[in-house]
Structures are given as structure tokens and as C-alpha cells.
Amino acid sequence: MATTPSTTDTGALWQNLADALNALIDARQFPDFHDLYGARNNWQHQPIASTAARSDAPWVVFDLSTRQFTVSSRERVLNGEHGRRNRRSRKQRR
């Protein structure tokens, strides 16, 4: 049975995240966090991080099909390319 790591085990990961966010701020990118939710992603909550400092800056999005964060473009995210793939509908029996 797998156990959940304690906060001391993940402290370095959180520090790495804080360092990355501080580096973005130092580069004047000012990260902004959102939850994309709607018809484009099949009504699934989908966390994204972006910046309003530059319209062409990459976005970080939680890809619902791979279940991992990935770097993408604003256009690809808003077109729903990182949403969960629709399941095939079953044929109805008569």
C-alpha cells in the first residue's frame, strides 16, 4: 500500500515551485492562475497559469488526457486541445 509523502518529503519541491514563480516575477511575467471550466473542456475543472504581461507568452495547463501539466499556447488551450478525449457513445439497443 502506497503512503502519502509527508510535507517534509515534498518541501524541496515546494521550494522549487516558489523559486520558479519568483523567477517569473523577476522576468516581469507576473504569473496569474485560473481554473478553465466550461464546454470547451467537457465541463472539467482545468487549472492554468498564464501572464497578462505578454499576450504571446506560453501558458501552463493541466492536460486532462495525460493528467500532467504541460506548456502550451493560449490558442491551443482555448481551442480545447488539452481536454479529456470524448468517449465513444455506445450504440443503443433496440
Side-chain angles (χ1 to χ4, degrees), residues 49-79:
S50 63
T51 180
R54 291 182 46 204
S55 61
D56 63 338
W59 283 22
V60 174
V61 59
F62 187 73
D63 191 312
L64 295 173
S65 61
T66 63
R67 312 283 302 159
Q68 292 185 345
F69 282 95
T70 186
V71 176
S72 187
S73 68
R74 176 185 184 276
E75 293 77 20
R76 290 182 64 201
V77 172
L78 295 180
N79 282 336

Side-chain angles (χ1 to χ4, degrees), residues 1 6 12 23 28 32 40 42-43 46 56-57 77 90-91:
M1 183 174 168
S6 68
R28 305 192 55 77
D32 201 8
R40 288 187 189 126
N42 214 13
W43 300 99
Q46 189 173 22
D56 63 338
V77 172
R90 294 183 181 188
K91 293 182 181 178

